[in-house]
Amino acid sequence: MALYSEKVMDHFRNPRNVGVIEDANGIGEVGNAKCGDIMKMYLKITDEVIEDVKFETFGCGSAIASSSMATELIKGKPLSEAMKLTNQAVAEALDGLPDYKMHCSVLAEEAIKSAIDDYNSKK
Ligand code: FES
């Protein structure tokens, strides 16, 4: 079996929603102390719904694929639903990640939660 699923490779090669939202009203940045990878998530929230989301990831391929998939999973969703997104759900949507790469998907979950916290703290 290939180490990475087709979906992981697709989201790594053609990541969705890469970039910056200039007028984002929720921004979260998290890092993994062990590998030094960093993920930044920008949210544009209107009426408690994620209208737009973009990310910048300075990290490994699995972290890039995880951020890309995570943005796809929360775009257009209410905040209450986005808050419940787990790294397992991101990994499942990617048709799995190797065990030792699961921590990369944790960055995506944490970056989204951190951006939502930022939004809530500014309300
Ligand atoms: Fe650092 Fe993947 S190895 S996030």
Side-chain angles (χ1 to χ4, degrees):
M1 199 190 103
L3 194 54
Y4 293 109
S5 72
E6 296 265 319
K7 274 195 194 164
V8 172
M9 292 312 292
D10 177 33
H11 280 262
F12 166 59
R13 291 196 178 111
N14 310 295
R16 280 57 146 187
N17 308 306
V18 175
V20 173
I21 300 177
E22 294 298 343
D23 60 343
N25 49 5
I27 299 177
E29 185 171 338
V30 294
N32 181 303
K34 276 198 185 142
C35 62
D37 292 349
I38 296 167
M39 191 181 290
K40 196 163 182 179
M41 205 53 83
Y42 300 84
L43 301 177
K44 176 76 188 152
I45 298 162
T46 308
D47 296 332
E48 305 296 294
V49 169
I50 299 180
E51 199 183 302
D52 199 10
V53 48
K54 291 205 186 295
F55 77 90
E56 292 176 309
T57 292
F58 181 80
C60 73
S62 299
I64 292 169
S66 295
S67 3
S68 169
M69 179 54 88
T71 58
E72 291 278 273
L73 291 172
I74 63 165
K75 203 170 187 174
K77 297 274 164 58
L79 282 190
S80 52
E81 221 175 291
M83 263 317 262
K84 288 190 214 136
L85 184 72
T86 61
N87 76 297
Q88 281 93 348
V90 173
E92 264 167 41
L94 287 168
D95 290 338
L97 282 170
D99 280 352
Y100 66 96
K101 282 285 173 183
M102 278 305 281
H103 75 271
C104 315
S105 61
V106 173
L107 275 187
E109 177 187 329
E110 288 179 352
I112 289 169
K113 293 200 165 126
S114 155
I116 294 175
D117 284 349
D118 178 52
Y119 166 78
N120 284 328
S121 72
K122 287 181 189 152
K123 270 201 289 190

